[in-house]
PDB file of all heavy atoms in Angstrom:
ATOM      1  N   PHE A   1    -100.804 -18.539   3.547  1.00  0.00           N
ATOM      2  CA  PHE A   1    -101.379 -17.345   2.940  1.00  0.00           C
ATOM      3  C   PHE A   1    -101.713 -16.304   4.033  1.00  0.00           C
ATOM      4  O   PHE A   1    -101.403 -15.093   3.870  1.00  0.00           O
ATOM      5  CB  PHE A   1    -102.634 -17.756   2.168  1.00  0.00           C
ATOM      6  CG  PHE A   1    -103.361 -16.585   1.598  1.00  0.00           C
ATOM      7  CD1 PHE A   1    -102.836 -15.727   0.708  1.00  0.00           C
ATOM      8  CD2 PHE A   1    -104.690 -16.331   2.002  1.00  0.00           C
ATOM      9  CE1 PHE A   1    -103.540 -14.625   0.153  1.00  0.00           C
ATOM     10  CE2 PHE A   1    -105.423 -15.320   1.457  1.00  0.00           C
ATOM     11  CZ  PHE A   1    -104.887 -14.484   0.578  1.00  0.00           C
ATOM     12  N   LEU A   2    -102.278 -16.720   5.120  1.00  0.00           N
ATOM     13  CA  LEU A   2    -102.632 -15.871   6.200  1.00  0.00           C
ATOM     14  C   LEU A   2    -101.324 -15.257   6.824  1.00  0.00           C
ATOM     15  O   LEU A   2    -101.285 -14.046   7.255  1.00  0.00           O
ATOM     16  CB  LEU A   2    -103.454 -16.510   7.297  1.00  0.00           C
ATOM     17  CG  LEU A   2    -104.745 -17.133   6.887  1.00  0.00           C
ATOM     18  CD1 LEU A   2    -105.462 -17.793   8.031  1.00  0.00           C
ATOM     19  CD2 LEU A   2    -105.670 -16.063   6.207  1.00  0.00           C
ATOM     20  N   TYR A   3    -100.291 -16.047   6.911  1.00  0.00           N
ATOM     21  CA  TYR A   3     -99.107 -15.653   7.546  1.00  0.00           C
ATOM     22  C   TYR A   3     -98.290 -14.573   6.731  1.00  0.00           C
ATOM     23  O   TYR A   3     -97.568 -13.833   7.167  1.00  0.00           O
ATOM     24  CB  TYR A   3     -98.103 -16.817   7.818  1.00  0.00           C
ATOM     25  CG  TYR A   3     -97.215 -16.581   8.988  1.00  0.00           C
ATOM     26  CD1 TYR A   3     -97.635 -16.153  10.205  1.00  0.00           C
ATOM     27  CD2 TYR A   3     -95.869 -16.686   8.892  1.00  0.00           C
ATOM     28  CE1 TYR A   3     -96.792 -15.850  11.259  1.00  0.00           C
ATOM     29  CE2 TYR A   3     -94.935 -16.493   9.831  1.00  0.00           C
ATOM     30  CZ  TYR A   3     -95.439 -16.076  11.072  1.00  0.00           C
ATOM     31  OH  TYR A   3     -94.560 -15.809  12.101  1.00  0.00           O
ATOM     32  N   ILE A   4     -98.545 -14.582   5.422  1.00  0.00           N
ATOM     33  CA  ILE A   4     -98.059 -13.566   4.531  1.00  0.00           C
ATOM     34  C   ILE A   4     -98.639 -12.223   5.018  1.00  0.00           C
ATOM     35  O   ILE A   4     -97.931 -11.188   5.052  1.00  0.00           O
ATOM     36  CB  ILE A   4     -98.376 -13.765   3.076  1.00  0.00           C
ATOM     37  CG1 ILE A   4     -97.599 -14.990   2.542  1.00  0.00           C
ATOM     38  CG2 ILE A   4     -97.971 -12.555   2.228  1.00  0.00           C
ATOM     39  CD1 ILE A   4     -97.956 -15.330   1.099  1.00  0.00           C
ATOM     40  N   GLY A   5     -99.898 -12.243   5.390  1.00  0.00           N
ATOM     41  CA  GLY A   5    -100.579 -11.043   5.856  1.00  0.00           C
ATOM     42  C   GLY A   5    -100.176 -10.602   7.214  1.00  0.00           C
ATOM     43  O   GLY A   5    -100.280  -9.415   7.582  1.00  0.00           O
ATOM     44  N   THR A   6     -99.718 -11.508   8.097  1.00  0.00           N
ATOM     45  CA  THR A   6     -99.289 -11.101   9.457  1.00  0.00           C
ATOM     46  C   THR A   6     -97.803 -10.952   9.554  1.00  0.00           C
ATOM     47  O   THR A   6     -97.314  -9.761   9.668  1.00  0.00           O
ATOM     48  CB  THR A   6     -99.835 -12.164  10.452  1.00  0.00           C
ATOM     49  OG1 THR A   6     -99.398 -13.479  10.096  1.00  0.00           O
ATOM     50  CG2 THR A   6    -101.388 -12.141  10.460  1.00  0.00           C
ATOM     51  N   PHE A   7     -97.075 -12.003   9.542  1.00  0.00           N
ATOM     52  CA  PHE A   7     -95.599 -11.881   9.649  1.00  0.00           C
ATOM     53  C   PHE A   7     -94.983 -11.109   8.466  1.00  0.00           C
ATOM     54  O   PHE A   7     -94.105 -10.310   8.479  1.00  0.00           O
ATOM     55  CB  PHE A   7     -94.866 -13.170   9.807  1.00  0.00           C
ATOM     56  CG  PHE A   7     -93.433 -13.057   9.835  1.00  0.00           C
ATOM     57  CD1 PHE A   7     -92.803 -12.555  11.015  1.00  0.00           C
ATOM     58  CD2 PHE A   7     -92.600 -13.479   8.795  1.00  0.00           C
ATOM     59  CE1 PHE A   7     -91.400 -12.376  11.048  1.00  0.00           C
ATOM     60  CE2 PHE A   7     -91.183 -13.257   8.827  1.00  0.00           C
ATOM     61  CZ  PHE A   7     -90.605 -12.801  10.027  1.00  0.00           C
ATOM     62  N   GLY A   8     -95.614 -11.397   7.248  1.00  0.00           N
ATOM     63  CA  GLY A   8     -95.069 -10.730   6.019  1.00  0.00           C
ATOM     64  C   GLY A   8     -95.298  -9.245   6.121  1.00  0.00           C
ATOM     65  O   GLY A   8     -94.468  -8.499   5.689  1.00  0.00           O
ATOM     66  N   SER A   9     -96.433  -8.882   6.711  1.00  0.00           N
ATOM     67  CA  SER A   9     -96.677  -7.433   6.923  1.00  0.00           C
ATOM     68  C   SER A   9     -95.709  -6.800   7.873  1.00  0.00           C
ATOM     69  O   SER A   9     -95.173  -5.753   7.643  1.00  0.00           O
ATOM     70  CB  SER A   9     -98.080  -7.200   7.379  1.00  0.00           C
ATOM     71  OG  SER A   9     -99.094  -7.467   6.425  1.00  0.00           O
ATOM     72  N   PHE A  10     -95.358  -7.575   8.919  1.00  0.00           N
ATOM     73  CA  PHE A  10     -94.430  -7.054   9.897  1.00  0.00           C
ATOM     74  C   PHE A  10     -93.105  -6.815   9.352  1.00  0.00           C
ATOM     75  O   PHE A  10     -92.516  -5.717   9.356  1.00  0.00           O
ATOM     76  CB  PHE A  10     -94.329  -8.060  11.074  1.00  0.00           C
ATOM     77  CG  PHE A  10     -93.156  -7.752  11.964  1.00  0.00           C
ATOM     78  CD1 PHE A  10     -93.134  -6.737  12.874  1.00  0.00           C
ATOM     79  CD2 PHE A  10     -91.981  -8.527  11.875  1.00  0.00           C
ATOM     80  CE1 PHE A  10     -92.100  -6.382  13.676  1.00  0.00           C
ATOM     81  CE2 PHE A  10     -90.890  -8.291  12.680  1.00  0.00           C
ATOM     82  CZ  PHE A  10     -90.907  -7.173  13.529  1.00  0.00           C
ATOM     83  N   ILE A  11     -92.594  -7.840   8.648  1.00  0.00           N
ATOM     84  CA  ILE A  11     -91.210  -7.703   8.115  1.00  0.00           C
ATOM     85  C   ILE A  11     -91.174  -6.717   6.889  1.00  0.00           C
ATOM     86  O   ILE A  11     -90.181  -5.998   6.641  1.00  0.00           O
ATOM     87  CB  ILE A  11     -90.607  -9.034   7.712  1.00  0.00           C
ATOM     88  CG1 ILE A  11     -89.076  -8.970   7.654  1.00  0.00           C
ATOM     89  CG2 ILE A  11     -91.185  -9.617   6.516  1.00  0.00           C
ATOM     90  CD1 ILE A  11     -88.421  -8.752   9.012  1.00  0.00           C
ATOM     91  N   GLY A  12     -92.301  -6.734   6.078  1.00  0.00           N
ATOM     92  CA  GLY A  12     -92.383  -5.853   4.958  1.00  0.00           C
ATOM     93  C   GLY A  12     -92.500  -4.340   5.297  1.00  0.00           C
ATOM     94  O   GLY A  12     -91.756  -3.493   4.812  1.00  0.00           O
ATOM     95  N   TYR A  13     -93.388  -4.014   6.222  1.00  0.00           N
ATOM     96  CA  TYR A  13     -93.473  -2.688   6.713  1.00  0.00           C
ATOM     97  C   TYR A  13     -92.224  -2.228   7.439  1.00  0.00           C
ATOM     98  O   TYR A  13     -91.824  -1.018   7.340  1.00  0.00           O
ATOM     99  CB  TYR A  13     -94.731  -2.505   7.582  1.00  0.00           C
ATOM    100  CG  TYR A  13     -96.027  -2.607   6.805  1.00  0.00           C
ATOM    101  CD1 TYR A  13     -97.116  -3.373   7.298  1.00  0.00           C
ATOM    102  CD2 TYR A  13     -96.242  -1.880   5.622  1.00  0.00           C
ATOM    103  CE1 TYR A  13     -98.269  -3.479   6.642  1.00  0.00           C
ATOM    104  CE2 TYR A  13     -97.452  -2.023   4.941  1.00  0.00           C
ATOM    105  CZ  TYR A  13     -98.444  -2.846   5.484  1.00  0.00           C
ATOM    106  OH  TYR A  13     -99.630  -2.898   4.812  1.00  0.00           O
ATOM    107  N   ALA A  14     -91.668  -3.147   8.257  1.00  0.00           N
ATOM    108  CA  ALA A  14     -90.462  -2.764   8.991  1.00  0.00           C
ATOM    109  C   ALA A  14     -89.305  -2.481   8.002  1.00  0.00           C
ATOM    110  O   ALA A  14     -88.561  -1.450   8.306  1.00  0.00           O
ATOM    111  CB  ALA A  14     -90.050  -3.913   9.906  1.00  0.00           C
ATOM    112  N   GLY A  15     -89.203  -3.148   6.952  1.00  0.00           N
ATOM    113  CA  GLY A  15     -88.174  -2.850   5.984  1.00  0.00           C
ATOM    114  C   GLY A  15     -88.443  -1.540   5.251  1.00  0.00           C
ATOM    115  O   GLY A  15     -87.478  -0.763   4.931  1.00  0.00           O
ATOM    116  N   ALA A  16     -89.701  -1.242   4.848  1.00  0.00           N
ATOM    117  CA  ALA A  16     -90.031  -0.072   4.072  1.00  0.00           C
ATOM    118  C   ALA A  16     -90.164   1.168   4.860  1.00  0.00           C
ATOM    119  O   ALA A  16     -89.974   2.325   4.296  1.00  0.00           O
ATOM    120  CB  ALA A  16     -91.375  -0.413   3.237  1.00  0.00           C
ATOM    121  N   PHE A  17     -90.495   1.106   6.163  1.00  0.00           N
ATOM    122  CA  PHE A  17     -90.918   2.247   6.891  1.00  0.00           C
ATOM    123  C   PHE A  17     -89.845   3.352   6.928  1.00  0.00           C
ATOM    124  O   PHE A  17     -90.136   4.569   6.707  1.00  0.00           O
ATOM    125  CB  PHE A  17     -91.262   1.820   8.352  1.00  0.00           C
ATOM    126  CG  PHE A  17     -91.938   2.900   9.136  1.00  0.00           C
ATOM    127  CD1 PHE A  17     -92.894   3.701   8.548  1.00  0.00           C
ATOM    128  CD2 PHE A  17     -91.706   3.041  10.468  1.00  0.00           C
ATOM    129  CE1 PHE A  17     -93.598   4.683   9.299  1.00  0.00           C
ATOM    130  CE2 PHE A  17     -92.394   4.041  11.261  1.00  0.00           C
ATOM    131  CZ  PHE A  17     -93.341   4.801  10.617  1.00  0.00           C
ATOM    132  N   PRO A  18     -88.512   3.089   7.126  1.00  0.00           N
ATOM    133  CA  PRO A  18     -87.589   4.144   7.110  1.00  0.00           C
ATOM    134  C   PRO A  18     -87.498   4.911   5.788  1.00  0.00           C
ATOM    135  O   PRO A  18     -87.402   6.148   5.758  1.00  0.00           O
ATOM    136  CB  PRO A  18     -86.237   3.494   7.473  1.00  0.00           C
ATOM    137  CG  PRO A  18     -86.652   2.260   8.184  1.00  0.00           C
ATOM    138  CD  PRO A  18     -87.930   1.838   7.610  1.00  0.00           C
ATOM    139  N   THR A  19     -87.565   4.179   4.734  1.00  0.00           N
ATOM    140  CA  THR A  19     -87.569   4.779   3.448  1.00  0.00           C
ATOM    141  C   THR A  19     -88.796   5.548   3.115  1.00  0.00           C
ATOM    142  O   THR A  19     -88.795   6.655   2.555  1.00  0.00           O
ATOM    143  CB  THR A  19     -87.383   3.740   2.290  1.00  0.00           C
ATOM    144  OG1 THR A  19     -86.104   3.101   2.475  1.00  0.00           O
ATOM    145  CG2 THR A  19     -87.348   4.399   0.926  1.00  0.00           C
ATOM    146  N   LEU A  20     -89.937   5.047   3.604  1.00  0.00           N
ATOM    147  CA  LEU A  20     -91.179   5.781   3.386  1.00  0.00           C
ATOM    148  C   LEU A  20     -91.180   7.124   4.200  1.00  0.00           C
ATOM    149  O   LEU A  20     -91.621   8.162   3.653  1.00  0.00           O
ATOM    150  CB  LEU A  20     -92.411   4.925   3.962  1.00  0.00           C
ATOM    151  CG  LEU A  20     -92.747   3.733   3.144  1.00  0.00           C
ATOM    152  CD1 LEU A  20     -93.835   2.967   3.858  1.00  0.00           C
ATOM    153  CD2 LEU A  20     -93.115   4.021   1.730  1.00  0.00           C
ATOM    154  N   LEU A  21     -90.653   7.111   5.344  1.00  0.00           N
ATOM    155  CA  LEU A  21     -90.533   8.340   6.154  1.00  0.00           C
ATOM    156  C   LEU A  21     -89.611   9.390   5.434  1.00  0.00           C
ATOM    157  O   LEU A  21     -89.835  10.570   5.328  1.00  0.00           O
ATOM    158  CB  LEU A  21     -90.034   8.125   7.559  1.00  0.00           C
ATOM    159  CG  LEU A  21     -90.884   7.392   8.519  1.00  0.00           C
ATOM    160  CD1 LEU A  21     -90.245   7.124   9.849  1.00  0.00           C
ATOM    161  CD2 LEU A  21     -92.188   8.125   8.660  1.00  0.00           C
ATOM    162  N   LYS A  22     -88.449   8.831   4.963  1.00  0.00           N
ATOM    163  CA  LYS A  22     -87.472   9.674   4.282  1.00  0.00           C
ATOM    164  C   LYS A  22     -87.989  10.291   2.973  1.00  0.00           C
ATOM    165  O   LYS A  22     -87.706  11.502   2.764  1.00  0.00           O
ATOM    166  CB  LYS A  22     -86.221   8.865   3.987  1.00  0.00           C
ATOM    167  CG  LYS A  22     -85.058   9.646   3.380  1.00  0.00           C
ATOM    168  CD  LYS A  22     -84.368  10.514   4.520  1.00  0.00           C
ATOM    169  CE  LYS A  22     -83.146  11.121   3.994  1.00  0.00           C
ATOM    170  NZ  LYS A  22     -82.486  11.978   5.090  1.00  0.00           N
ATOM    171  N   THR A  23     -88.715   9.555   2.201  1.00  0.00           N
ATOM    172  CA  THR A  23     -89.187  10.009   0.871  1.00  0.00           C
ATOM    173  C   THR A  23     -90.522  10.819   0.908  1.00  0.00           C
ATOM    174  O   THR A  23     -90.707  11.733   0.189  1.00  0.00           O
ATOM    175  CB  THR A  23     -89.290   8.872  -0.109  1.00  0.00           C
ATOM    176  OG1 THR A  23     -90.193   7.876   0.431  1.00  0.00           O
ATOM    177  CG2 THR A  23     -87.944   8.215  -0.308  1.00  0.00           C
ATOM    178  N   GLN A  24     -91.431  10.382   1.850  1.00  0.00           N
ATOM    179  CA  GLN A  24     -92.701  11.049   1.892  1.00  0.00           C
ATOM    180  C   GLN A  24     -92.708  12.288   2.796  1.00  0.00           C
ATOM    181  O   GLN A  24     -93.478  13.216   2.617  1.00  0.00           O
ATOM    182  CB  GLN A  24     -93.773  10.041   2.334  1.00  0.00           C
ATOM    183  CG  GLN A  24     -93.850   8.803   1.434  1.00  0.00           C
ATOM    184  CD  GLN A  24     -94.093   9.177  -0.036  1.00  0.00           C
ATOM    185  OE1 GLN A  24     -95.092   9.819  -0.382  1.00  0.00           O
ATOM    186  NE2 GLN A  24     -93.176   8.665  -0.890  1.00  0.00           N
ATOM    187  N   PHE A  25     -91.873  12.221   3.860  1.00  0.00           N
ATOM    188  CA  PHE A  25     -91.816  13.358   4.814  1.00  0.00           C
ATOM    189  C   PHE A  25     -90.375  13.643   5.088  1.00  0.00           C
ATOM    190  O   PHE A  25     -89.840  13.303   6.153  1.00  0.00           O
ATOM    191  CB  PHE A  25     -92.605  12.967   6.081  1.00  0.00           C
ATOM    192  CG  PHE A  25     -94.010  12.620   5.874  1.00  0.00           C
ATOM    193  CD1 PHE A  25     -94.448  11.287   5.681  1.00  0.00           C
ATOM    194  CD2 PHE A  25     -95.010  13.600   5.927  1.00  0.00           C
ATOM    195  CE1 PHE A  25     -95.783  10.994   5.501  1.00  0.00           C
ATOM    196  CE2 PHE A  25     -96.335  13.335   5.698  1.00  0.00           C
ATOM    197  CZ  PHE A  25     -96.748  12.030   5.482  1.00  0.00           C
ATOM    198  N   PRO A  26     -89.664  14.276   4.157  1.00  0.00           N
ATOM    199  CA  PRO A  26     -88.200  14.500   4.271  1.00  0.00           C
ATOM    200  C   PRO A  26     -87.822  15.223   5.570  1.00  0.00           C
ATOM    201  O   PRO A  26     -86.721  14.935   6.075  1.00  0.00           O
ATOM    202  CB  PRO A  26     -87.929  15.378   3.046  1.00  0.00           C
ATOM    203  CG  PRO A  26     -89.034  15.060   2.070  1.00  0.00           C
ATOM    204  CD  PRO A  26     -90.243  14.887   2.900  1.00  0.00           C
ATOM    205  N   GLY A  27     -88.670  16.016   6.095  1.00  0.00           N
ATOM    206  CA  GLY A  27     -88.257  16.736   7.308  1.00  0.00           C
ATOM    207  C   GLY A  27     -88.567  15.934   8.586  1.00  0.00           C
ATOM    208  O   GLY A  27     -88.152  16.402   9.692  1.00  0.00           O
ATOM    209  N   ALA A  28     -89.138  14.780   8.451  1.00  0.00           N
ATOM    210  CA  ALA A  28     -89.555  14.030   9.640  1.00  0.00           C
ATOM    211  C   ALA A  28     -88.289  13.392  10.243  1.00  0.00           C
ATOM    212  O   ALA A  28     -87.372  12.914   9.451  1.00  0.00           O
ATOM    213  CB  ALA A  28     -90.544  12.986   9.292  1.00  0.00           C
ATOM    214  N   PRO A  29     -88.296  13.095  11.545  1.00  0.00           N
ATOM    215  CA  PRO A  29     -87.053  12.457  12.182  1.00  0.00           C
ATOM    216  C   PRO A  29     -87.125  10.968  11.890  1.00  0.00           C
ATOM    217  O   PRO A  29     -87.975  10.262  12.352  1.00  0.00           O
ATOM    218  CB  PRO A  29     -87.324  12.687  13.700  1.00  0.00           C
ATOM    219  CG  PRO A  29     -88.780  12.955  13.858  1.00  0.00           C
ATOM    220  CD  PRO A  29     -89.230  13.631  12.545  1.00  0.00           C
ATOM    221  N   MET A  30     -86.163  10.548  11.026  1.00  0.00           N
ATOM    222  CA  MET A  30     -86.117   9.120  10.681  1.00  0.00           C
ATOM    223  C   MET A  30     -85.773   8.243  11.810  1.00  0.00           C
ATOM    224  O   MET A  30     -85.978   6.984  11.806  1.00  0.00           O
ATOM    225  CB  MET A  30     -85.081   8.959   9.544  1.00  0.00           C
ATOM    226  CG  MET A  30     -85.364   7.682   8.677  1.00  0.00           C
ATOM    227  SD  MET A  30     -84.149   7.431   7.455  1.00  0.00           S
ATOM    228  CE  MET A  30     -82.788   6.748   8.435  1.00  0.00           C
ATOM    229  N   GLN A  31     -85.206   8.849  12.917  1.00  0.00           N
ATOM    230  CA  GLN A  31     -84.878   8.069  14.115  1.00  0.00           C
ATOM    231  C   GLN A  31     -86.062   7.372  14.753  1.00  0.00           C
ATOM    232  O   GLN A  31     -85.885   6.392  15.532  1.00  0.00           O
ATOM    233  CB  GLN A  31     -84.220   8.973  15.162  1.00  0.00           C
ATOM    234  CG  GLN A  31     -82.820   9.563  14.669  1.00  0.00           C
ATOM    235  CD  GLN A  31     -83.008  10.895  13.920  1.00  0.00           C
ATOM    236  OE1 GLN A  31     -84.146  11.149  13.493  1.00  0.00           O
ATOM    237  NE2 GLN A  31     -81.970  11.686  13.849  1.00  0.00           N
TER     238      GLN A  31
END
């Protein structure tokens, strides 16, 4: 359960972050 919060957060945020930048801040550098 704790590892969902640590490694799961790492892989979950890593997967979502590019799309979050693109959709929430369209002018931001996705690079």
Side-chain angles (χ1 to χ4, degrees):
F1 174 61
L2 302 180
Y3 205 54
I4 292 175
T6 55
F7 178 72
S9 290
F10 167 75
I11 201 68
Y13 290 134
F17 194 38
T19 297
L20 293 176
L21 290 181
K22 184 73 172 180
T23 56
Q24 302 305 304
F25 301 92
M30 204 183 78
Q31 296 89 341

